[in-house]
Amino acid sequence: MKIHEYQAKQIFADYEIPVSDEILCQSVEDVEKAADKLGLPVVVKAQVLAGGRGKAGGVKLAKTKEELVDAANQILGMDIKGYTVEKVLTAKAISFTDEFYVGLTIDRNTKSVVFMASAEGGVEIEEVAKDNPDAIHKFVIDAEIGLMPFQARQIAFKLFDDIKLVRQGADLFEKLYRVFMDTDASLAEINPLVITADGNLMALDGKMNFDDNALFRQSEILEMREPTEDEKTEIEAKEKGLSFIKLDGNIGCMVNGAGLAMATMDIIKIYGGEPANFLDIGGSSNPQKVIDAMNLLLADKNVKAVMINIFGGITRCDDVAKGIISALEQMNINIPIVVRLSGTNAAEGLEILKKTNLVTVASMGEAAEKAIEMASQTV
C-alpha cells in the first residue's frame, strides 16, 4: 500500500521529524488561501501515487501571486504517469544548502531492514543506484536489537562533516527507524533531506509504502488508503479468495498455485507472448472461483485470449471444468480459451470440456503457443 507525500510527512511530524509548513489544497482558490496563510514564496506539488513528479512538471516554485495561480492551474488536472492530479500540496519554500537521501526498506538477501543513505539527494535513488552505486551507503539493521545509537551516528558521519549535523542526523535517523517499524512499512524514505539556511535538517519530501499483510493491525494507516482502479480489482479478488495482479500483456492467465502461475507467465514470455495478469485461484475445488476468475480476466479489455493451466492436487480438475462450463453459460465470452489440465481427475475434466468448443492441450508449452496464436488472431 502506498500513501501520498502529505500523508507520509504527517506521520513524520508525529514522530518529531522536521517537515516544512504546508497545506493540502484541491482547487486554485485553496492554493491562493494557503499562500496567504504561509506567505510567498511557496512550492506547489502534485499529490499522486507516482514518482517523477518534478520531471513531469508537477512541482513548481511560485514567488508571486501570478506565478502561484499559473502553477496551480497547470498542475491541477494534469496527467502524471496515468494519474490525474486532483490535489496539490502548497508548502512554504525553504532555502537550503545541501540535499541528501535517506531511506529504510527490506533487504531480502539479508532478511533484514536496511538503512540507505546518500549525499546525492534530490534525484530518484534508482538513478543514483544505476549511475553511481558507490554513492549509496547501506547499513543492515539487526532485527533483534534494531537501529542502535552508534549505528545512527555511523550513518550520519557518512553524510555530514559538522558534528552538530551528525547529532541532528543520528537523532532523525532513529526516529525514522521507529516510524518504519511502528507502521509496518516496507519503505520509508526522505528525499531530499536538506540542510536549511539556518543549519538544521528538514524532510522536504517523504515517501512511505506499507506491508498489505500487516494492515489488519494498522487501522489508522489503512484509513489513508486511496486505491487505484487496478488496486480496487486486486482487493476485490482477494475478498473472493483469489490472488490477482494486473500486468500489461494480452494473454489472460488462470492458474492454481503461485509457483505454477509464475511458471505459466514465464513460458508465455519464452514463446514470445505477454501475460496480462498473475491469477492464482488457490487450492480449493470451488467452481464459483473459476467464474469469479473469468470475470476478472474478461474485465480487462486488453485480454485477447485466456490460458487456463490447472494442476490437480487439492484442486480437482473436474471441478475446474465444471466452473468453466458454468462461466460459459452465464457470461458472454467472445475471446478464445485454451485449457491444460493435469493431475487429479484430469481425464474427467477433459471429458466434461469435450462438450464445449474450448481448445484443450496436453502441455504448458503447447498451451502457451496456442494462446499466443489465438490472441494474434483476435481483433
Side-chain angles (χ1 to χ4, degrees):
M1 172 186 153
K2 299 178 182 179
I3 59 173
H4 293 285
E5 172 197 354
Y6 77 91
Q7 295 168 317
K9 289 163 80 176
Q10 285 172 2
I11 297 173
F12 291 170
D14 290 341
Y15 282 76
E16 299 183 345
I17 295 174
V19 297
S20 56
D21 294 332
E22 50 200 32
I23 299 171
L24 185 67
C25 305
Q26 294 181 299
S27 68
V28 176
E29 292 74 21
D30 288 347
V31 173
E32 291 182 277
K33 291 176 183 177
D36 289 339
K37 186 174 182 179
L38 296 169
L40 293 170
V42 296
V43 179
V44 182
K45 308 173 77 174
Q47 296 299 287
V48 291
L49 299 174
R53 293 172 299 164
K55 290 180 180 178
V59 178
K60 295 185 182 295
L61 173 67
K63 299 179 180 178
T64 67
K65 197 68 173 286
E66 292 74 20
E67 290 179 353
L68 176 74
V69 173
D70 185 51
N73 277 316
Q74 286 186 47
I75 296 175
L76 282 165
M78 77 183 304
D79 181 273
I80 299 178
K81 295 183 178 180
Y83 294 90
T84 301
V85 179
E86 297 178 348
K87 49 194 171 187
V88 296
L89 192 61
T90 305
K92 180 70 178 175
I94 302 297
S95 297
F96 57 87
T97 57
D98 291 288
E99 299 176 88
F100 305 88
Y101 169 93
V102 292
L104 290 145
T105 191
I106 305 297
D107 182 359
R108 300 189 184 281
N109 291 325
T110 60
K111 300 179 182 178
S112 303
V113 175
V114 62
F115 198 116
M116 298 179 293
S118 175
E120 296 190 18
V123 296
E124 294 182 36
I125 194 65
E126 292 83 3
E127 293 183 7
V128 179
K130 178 182 177 182
D131 299 333
N132 187 14
D134 293 337
I136 302 175
H137 307 286
K138 296 181 180 180
F139 300 81
V140 175
I141 311 301
D142 189 295
E144 294 292 330
I145 59 177
L147 179 65
M148 299 297 288
F150 80 88
Q151 287 180 301
R153 289 192 294 272
Q154 281 182 337
I155 298 168
F157 272 116
K158 291 289 186 179
L159 300 182
F160 314 117
D161 296 324
D162 187 331
I163 191 62
K164 175 188 171 185
L165 291 173
V166 169
R167 292 185 181 122
Q168 277 191 52
D171 179 64
L172 188 151
F173 300 159
E174 288 186 69
K175 290 173 179 174
L176 186 62
Y177 178 75
R178 286 201 294 275
V179 169
F180 184 87
M181 297 303 294
D182 288 353
T183 60
D184 288 306
S186 56
L187 174 71
E189 68 178 27
I190 301 173
N191 188 25
L193 172 71
V194 301
I195 302 174
T196 62
D198 58 1
N200 293 309
L201 295 177
M202 179 179 288
L204 279 199
D205 199 349
K207 181 178 181 181
M208 293 193 73
N209 296 347
F210 303 93
D211 183 352
D212 288 346
N213 295 312
L215 291 176
F216 72 94
R217 63 186 180 198
Q218 297 288 348
S219 57
E220 292 184 6
I221 300 296
L222 187 56
E223 288 177 3
M224 298 181 181
R225 185 171 215 163
E226 293 183 18
T228 63
E229 289 304 314
D230 288 347
E231 287 172 334
K232 288 178 183 177
T233 302
E234 292 172 17
I235 293 169
E236 179 187 347
K238 189 173 184 179
E239 291 172 350
K240 294 178 178 178
L242 306 169
S243 296
F244 177 82
I245 298 172
K246 187 181 181 306
L247 302 173
D248 297 327
N250 64 353
I251 309 293
C253 306
M254 185 195 304
V255 191
N256 66 315
L260 186 59
M262 296 295 289
T264 300
M265 293 190 295
D266 285 346
I267 203 161
I268 289 172
K269 294 280 287 186
I270 288 171
Y271 278 85
E274 292 292 335
N277 61 273
F278 170 101
L279 175 54
D280 173 14
I281 65 172
S284 74
S285 292
N286 183 355
Q288 182 59 43
K289 270 195 175 183
V290 180
I291 297 171
D292 293 336
M294 191 63 74
N295 278 317
L296 279 174
L297 295 179
L298 298 182
D300 184 352
K301 302 304 180 185
N302 293 328
V303 172
K304 303 301 181 185
V306 173
M307 175 177 166
I308 299 175
N309 186 17
I310 301 297
F311 178 79
I314 298 173
T315 304
R316 289 170 39 186
C317 293
D318 56 333
D319 278 346
V320 173
K322 290 173 185 175
I324 295 171
I325 297 291
S326 295
L328 292 173
E329 292 173 348
Q330 297 178 37
M331 304 167 63
N332 181 25
I333 300 176
N334 54 8
I335 59 174
I337 300 173
V338 58
V339 184
R340 179 251 183 178
L341 302 177
S342 178
T344 305
N345 290 4
E348 291 86 341
L350 292 170
E351 187 64 31
I352 291 170
L353 293 179
K354 283 183 179 179
K355 304 171 186 176
T356 71
N357 59 355
L358 300 179
V359 177
T360 57
V361 296
S363 70
M364 287 174 58
E366 190 181 354
E369 199 169 20
K370 195 66 180 176
I372 294 166
E373 177 189 335
M374 293 190 301
S376 67
Q377 297 170 356
T378 303
V379 179

